Amino acid sequence: MEPGAGPGPELGAVLEAVEGRGGGGAEAVERVLAWYNEENRATFIFDPADEDKRKKLCEGILNILEKDTKTSCQVACLEALRILSRDKKVLVPVTTKRNMEILMKLAKLDTVEDDPLERVSEFPVIVEALKCLCNIIFNSSVAQKLSLELNLAAMLCNLLQKCKDRQLVDDIKCFDLRLLFLLSLLHTDIRAQLRQELQGVQVLTQALESSLSVRWTEEYKAAEDRDRPPLSLQETDCAIEALKALFNVTLDSWNVHSKNESHQFRYMAAILRHCLLTTGPTEEKTEELHSNAINLLSNVPVSCLDVLINPSSQEETDIKYNGMNMGAIQILLDFMEKRIDKGSSYREGLTPVLSLLTECCRTHRNIRKFIKAQVLPPLRDVSNRPEVGTTVRNKLVRLMTHVDLGVKQIAAEFLFVLCKERVDSLLKYTGYGNAAGLLAARGLLAGGRGDHWYSDDEDTDTEEYKSAKPNINLITGHLEEPMPNPMDEMTEEQKEYEAMKLVNMFDKLSRDELIKPMGVRPDGTMAPLEEAVSQYHTSKQESSDSD
């Protein structure tokens, strides 16, 4: 009976066929499993009443897979096992050393290093076996521990090397990379093994380079073919899986200890630059590709990120600044603005790119100046508040008062670094009210600048800003028409009465602990008013004594 010809067998009948009680041999098994697979292709929630039957079905399938059987039957068995392994509760009988070894053998993970992948007919079996291992390892902590014991990561790296430059094995490569991603995510010892023993960074970087079809014109500079077509879906998926696995393996790579490590990360950064300039088959896939590239760039030591802005040659018509090609930086800026415009999931979607841009601007002068020219151009129209409008500056200033502490901190830090960590420059673009949180946290409420050193080139104010500056409200950061002074028409007695009335109101609020008067310490941090005044007088006395 062919799938789609009528109602299929019940789970009990499937189990009976798999255990060999129904007769018919491998053909019958293949037939009933084809039905089961078709019926449950999109099933992720299973009936608890059938749990024991499904456990027995898993065991029966693995018993068949242990024997030599034809390829089509192996594929049907593995597809069924993949569906069943979506349920954590049936994995207890599956996650044994014997059963893991059966699946590893079918995935060609037990072959010697120089044994090539040549039998194309076996590829579907390899792919399905890898998919089963992905599900089982993701859902079972026992399988994760067995993976370390069975040295699965080393075998996956070996298989990955065999997939190099072979179009027919893209699916194998993709699920090999996905399995390495899962292992490095779920088991810290395997992550360390990949980094230290298996040259995981080099192996995964080569897999990424192969997926993107990078061609080099010189060291750390890939060819930019403007007419090249977008990546295929398979190529994009392979690149994404490689990026995710590399992210895990390079999590603790902030300090470069050797010249070889520095070369490896600069080489990786050059590939990631190429990745940012590459598009996928759809807009969604392109965004996913770029998002994972940005996550990985955050792990690259910032000293190695200068390769993102290679010197621009004469024939290149890409975005330039001071003779440097800024195409990749522009992609990062566009990505950041797109994530801001989404208006949700800022912590996961926006903070990685903001953190990356902040570190780039802090370390690389050309990047900072290029980004500042776009994000904080010279002020001309200051009639609106800094947070009102549709420019990138307006959007970032709005984030400075976001409810998520992490989001508002990184948005404020980014703008602060663009202003070379000078308080007066930041206040000019944001207003004191929006910047107060950052300044309080950094102890800069009294003014000054941050700890990082920047070049001494000064900002140039426009004539429009200079003429408006005397009437700009420092708190709101925008131009306000002069307001009439309500005290102009008061007598001295009325002024004194209103002043005392205000003092009494504050005194009552303070005594009832509805407010707590605060002051700024000499070091620029906030403190209760009495403490701040006391420290101010002490500081003044010490200064006087030293004179």
Side-chain angles (χ1 to χ4, degrees):
M1 198 184 281
E2 293 299 321
E10 296 293 328
L11 182 59
V14 176
L15 178 59
E16 191 175 292
V18 168
E19 289 181 338
R21 290 183 280 122
E27 289 76 12
V29 170
E30 185 179 341
R31 186 167 58 250
V32 295
L33 286 180
W35 273 104
Y36 182 81
N37 297 340
E38 188 64 33
E39 289 293 315
N40 294 280
R41 194 171 300 279
T43 301
F44 291 88
I45 300 174
F46 298 87
D47 186 353
D50 292 333
E51 187 177 314
D52 287 338
K53 288 181 181 177
R54 282 183 279 112
K55 285 181 179 178
K56 289 178 181 177
L57 183 56
C58 286
E59 292 181 84
I61 287 171
L62 284 160
N63 287 334
I64 293 172
L65 289 171
E66 191 175 20
K67 305 166 188 173
D68 285 331
T69 185
K70 63 179 184 177
T71 300
S72 59
C73 185
Q74 287 179 325
V75 171
C77 286
L78 288 165
E79 284 181 353
L81 186 61
R82 170 169 55 84
I83 291 168
L84 291 164
S85 63
R86 294 168 182 167
D87 181 8
K88 293 181 181 182
K89 294 178 181 177
V90 305
L91 290 180
V92 175
V94 176
T95 50
T96 66
K97 188 173 181 179
R98 163 190 170 265
N99 289 337
M100 292 284 285
E101 286 176 334
I102 291 170
L103 293 172
M104 288 166 63
K105 182 178 180 181
L106 290 167
K108 298 296 180 187
L109 293 172
D110 65 336
T111 54
V112 294
E113 192 168 334
D114 56 354
D115 186 16
L117 292 173
E118 290 183 343
R119 295 178 62 183
V120 177
S121 61
E122 293 180 341
F123 288 1
V125 176
I126 298 172
V127 171
E128 284 300 328
L130 288 170
K131 287 180 181 179
C132 287
L133 285 168
C134 284
N135 277 5
I136 292 166
I137 286 169
F138 180 72
N139 284 319
S140 170
S141 57
V142 175
Q144 292 159 24
K145 291 173 184 174
L146 281 170
S147 299
L148 182 62
E149 183 183 335
L150 294 167
N151 205 19
L152 180 57
M155 295 181 184
L156 287 165
C157 288
N158 177 29
L159 181 62
L160 196 58
Q161 297 278 42
K162 296 177 189 177
C163 296
K164 199 174 177 183
D165 302 322
R166 289 285 303 278
Q167 293 299 318
L168 291 173
V169 294
D170 271 353
D171 276 342
I172 297 174
K173 179 179 176 182
C174 188
F175 287 102
D176 185 308
L177 288 165
R178 183 170 298 175
L179 201 42
L180 282 170
F181 161 67
L182 289 172
L183 289 170
S184 59
L185 173 71
L186 299 168
H187 205 304
T188 53
D189 289 343
I190 293 179
R191 187 188 309 160
Q193 182 193 25
L194 277 165
R195 177 78 190 271
Q196 296 162 12
E197 298 173 24
L198 302 175
Q199 296 184 309
V201 174
Q202 182 177 343
V203 170
L204 290 166
T205 303
Q206 287 173 349
L208 176 62
E209 179 184 355
S210 171
S211 299
L212 297 171
S213 302
V214 179
R215 292 184 299 106
W216 299 101
T217 57
E218 54 187 87
E219 189 178 38
Y220 310 134
K221 188 171 183 180
E224 294 181 26
D225 183 2
R226 301 179 189 283
D227 298 322
R228 73 176 181 272
L231 296 176
S232 69
L233 182 59
Q234 270 190 328
E235 289 170 333
T236 307
D237 284 340
C238 279
I240 288 170
E241 295 300 335
L243 289 166
K244 286 157 58 178
L246 273 168
F247 176 81
N248 291 340
V249 176
T250 58
L251 266 176
D252 305 314
S253 61
W254 284 100
N255 296 316
V256 174
H257 299 293
S258 68
K259 187 175 180 180
N260 184 55
E261 276 189 317
S262 176
H263 164 73
Q264 187 65 57
F265 281 113
R266 291 168 72 81
Y267 176 61
M268 185 192 300
I271 295 173
L272 291 173
R273 179 184 182 277
H274 179 81
C275 186
L276 289 173
L277 298 171
T278 299
T279 56
T282 65
E283 188 176 341
E284 292 75 17
K285 275 294 176 184
T286 300
E287 186 174 347
E288 186 182 356
L289 179 69
H290 290 175
S291 177
N292 281 286
I294 288 164
N295 290 342
L296 180 53
L297 277 168
S298 300
N299 285 355
V300 175
V302 71
S303 60
C304 300
L305 293 179
D306 57 324
V307 298
L308 292 177
I309 53 167
N310 277 327
S312 180
S313 58
Q314 289 296 322
E315 64 271 13
E316 288 176 344
T317 57
D318 210 337
I319 301 161
K320 299 178 185 178
Y321 184 84
N322 277 357
M324 309 300 284
N325 188 325
M326 293 288 175
I329 303 301
Q330 186 62 55
I331 295 287
L332 292 175
L333 276 173
D334 294 342
F335 183 92
M336 176 195 74
E337 187 171 10
K338 189 174 182 180
R339 285 294 170 95
I340 293 175
D341 291 342
K342 274 192 172 181
S344 62
S345 302
Y346 281 153
R347 181 173 285 271
E348 299 81 14
L350 178 62
T351 53
V353 67
L354 267 178
S355 299
L356 174 64
L357 287 172
T358 301
E359 291 307 313
C360 284
C361 290
R362 185 175 273 129
T363 308
H364 301 289
R365 180 171 177 263
N366 277 323
I367 295 178
R368 175 177 55 78
K369 295 189 77 172
F370 171 75
I371 291 177
K372 185 178 180 183
Q374 297 197 56
V375 176
L376 299 177
L379 288 173
R380 299 184 186 280
D381 181 8
V382 287
S383 58
N384 292 320
R385 289 172 178 255
E387 66 270 23
V388 175
T390 58
T391 67
V392 182
R393 167 185 164 234
N394 302 143
K395 295 171 184 178
L396 286 165
V397 172
R398 283 198 289 274
L399 290 178
M400 293 175 78
T401 53
H402 195 271
V403 293
D404 188 308
L405 182 62
V407 172
K408 74 176 184 180
Q409 283 179 338
I410 189 59
E413 187 75 12
F414 176 52
L415 291 174
F416 193 42
V417 169
L418 288 182
C419 295
K420 296 186 287 188
E421 299 189 25
R422 285 174 42 196
V423 173
D424 56 343
S425 180
L426 178 70
L427 296 182
K428 180 174 77 174
Y429 288 103
T430 69
Y432 197 91
N434 291 311
L438 171 80
L439 300 181
R442 298 282 292 262
L444 293 170
L445 284 168
R449 63 189 304 165
D451 300 327
H452 199 78
W453 182 88
Y454 295 87
S455 59
D456 292 330
D457 53 303
E458 295 295 327
D459 294 331
T460 304
D461 291 335
T462 62
E463 291 301 321
E464 295 93 327
Y465 179 78
K466 287 178 181 177
S467 63
K469 189 174 181 179
N471 295 319
I472 292 176
N473 184 319
L474 297 178
I475 302 299
T476 62
H478 81 300
L479 183 65
E480 288 185 347
E481 293 299 323
M483 300 290 288
N485 188 346
M487 298 182 71
D488 285 345
E489 299 179 2
M490 288 184 183
T491 63
E492 290 302 316
E493 290 79 6
Q494 286 174 316
K495 291 177 184 178
E496 186 175 342
Y497 171 78
E498 292 295 334
M500 290 308 299
K501 184 178 174 183
L502 189 60
V503 168
N504 291 331
M505 287 170 62
F506 274 111
D507 183 57
K508 186 176 187 306
L509 289 170
S510 179
R511 289 177 186 279
D512 293 343
E513 297 188 350
L514 295 173
I515 65 169
K516 189 171 188 178
M518 304 289 285
V520 181
R521 294 189 184 106
D523 65 0
T525 58
M526 297 287 288
L529 186 59
E530 298 85 352
E531 182 184 331
V533 171
S534 173
Q535 288 193 12
Y536 175 77
H537 286 309
T538 303
S539 174
K540 193 173 181 181
Q541 182 65 41
E542 289 174 353
S543 176
S544 173
D545 292 343
S546 65
D547 291 343

